[in-house]
Amino acid sequence: MSLSIALTKGRLEKDAVELLDLCGYGTEKLKNKGRALVFEDTREDFRYFLVKANDCITYVEHGVADCGIVGKDTLMEGGSDYYELLDLKIGKCKFIIAGMKDHNPLTMSGNIRIGSKYPEAAKRYFLSRGLDAEMIRLEGSVELAPVLGLCDGIMDIMETGRTLKENGLVVYDTVCDISARVIVNKASFKIKRQEIMKFLTDMERAVERCSE
Ligand code: PRP
């Protein structure tokens, strides 16, 4: 049976394709992609889709994709009707809480406003610290928000820390480590178990080879 695999475009794309390469899969079409969004593997009976991170979960939950490769940050924010089965150890970064110097949102009293692309995950984190913070949903350039006074702090992903530094923000806490995961549609895992297990085993070996 064929497998449909949703890949997150952007940051994770290159490293994910490298892992697929290490598995010996035929990724030529993915690497010379132009503006196409669906690609047949040239060696395996696989079809890849390139989608935005949130949509990757949606495609997998609806079973249009059997498997998906998506960041843990996105998984922590939305959806839960899938199996998360493998840590690919690519796209490594951290969820952090940051704010302006001398303005730590975690030690504030009164109303705390937090800007984030991940308001659900941020809300949970603040509640776990006993803080009922107000969430302001942002779509990008999150570091700008505390600088302009839209919020007291942000919860965002930090990779190199450069964006924070260049905007004069400091880290007040590290929430958790983030990396890309393989998620699997629940029904597909029953119906296509053999194919999915082979895909997971191949990917796991590729991850091990990368860390050698
Ligand atoms: C992400 C994140 C930070 C930045 C962190 O944004 O939201 O802004 O990367 O990376 P760094 O620690 O290496 O500087 P992204 O580039 O995905 O764009 P966005 O602001 O449009 O969300």
Side-chain angles (χ1 to χ4, degrees):
M1 264 187 278
S2 69
L3 277 191
S4 294
I5 302 167
L7 305 175
T8 301
K9 46 177 172 180
R11 273 172 185 258
L12 285 180
E13 199 177 315
K14 191 168 159 283
D15 287 352
V17 173
E18 264 174 41
L19 283 178
L20 296 169
D21 267 342
L22 275 174
C23 293
Y25 299 157
T27 60
E28 292 85 348
K29 290 182 184 169
L30 263 178
K31 283 186 281 196
N32 303 298
K33 62 187 166 76
R35 295 219 166 234
L37 297 168
V38 183
F39 311 88
E40 305 290 334
D41 192 290
T42 52
R43 288 188 203 148
E44 302 282 333
D45 194 4
F46 290 172
R47 201 160 56 131
Y48 305 106
F49 313 131
L50 273 179
V51 292
K52 286 228 177 196
N54 280 322
D55 296 342
C56 184
I57 301 178
T58 307
Y59 278 99
V60 170
E61 284 188 330
H62 284 79
V64 173
D66 301 303
C67 305
I69 294 181
V70 62
K72 182 69 181 174
D73 52 333
T74 309
L75 296 176
M76 283 172 69
E77 182 63 13
S80 56
D81 195 17
Y82 51 78
Y83 297 127
E84 180 189 321
L85 295 180
L86 183 63
D87 183 351
L88 294 177
K89 299 182 182 166
I90 57 170
K92 283 188 182 174
C93 53
K94 289 177 192 300
F95 252 150
I96 52 89
I97 305 295
M100 302 296 286
K101 192 169 171 287
D102 302 326
H103 191 86
N104 182 351
L106 296 167
T107 55
M108 272 177 67
S109 52
N111 184 36
I112 309 167
R113 294 160 310 155
I114 297 299
S116 188
K117 285 185 279 188
Y118 310 92
E120 298 290 333
K123 186 83 190 169
R124 278 200 307 276
Y125 166 79
F126 277 85
L127 283 176
S128 77
R129 308 233 354 185
L131 297 167
D132 189 14
E134 178 193 339
M135 296 298 138
I136 300 176
R137 179 187 285 276
L138 294 167
E139 294 296 332
S141 304
V142 179
E143 292 81 358
L144 189 60
V147 176
L148 299 184
L150 178 66
C151 54
D152 301 296
I154 59 171
M155 177 157 140
D156 199 13
I157 50 171
M158 177 184 84
E159 191 180 350
T160 61
R162 228 180 118 187
T163 315
L164 289 175
K165 198 164 170 229
E166 291 191 8
N167 289 284
L169 300 183
V170 292
V171 175
Y172 286 112
D173 197 18
T174 299
V175 178
C176 60
D177 290 326
I178 301 287
S179 55
R181 310 293 159 98
V182 177
I183 58 169
V184 176
N185 174 269
K186 288 181 173 174
S188 300
F189 197 51
K190 288 200 184 84
I191 301 160
K192 303 184 181 181
R193 196 171 187 105
Q194 213 180 328
E195 291 83 352
I196 290 172
M197 284 310 293
K198 181 183 179 302
F199 173 64
L200 290 169
T201 309
D202 288 349
M203 288 296 268
E204 195 172 14
R205 283 203 193 112
V207 173
E208 276 164 17
R209 280 176 64 191
C210 282
S211 63
E212 273 166 11

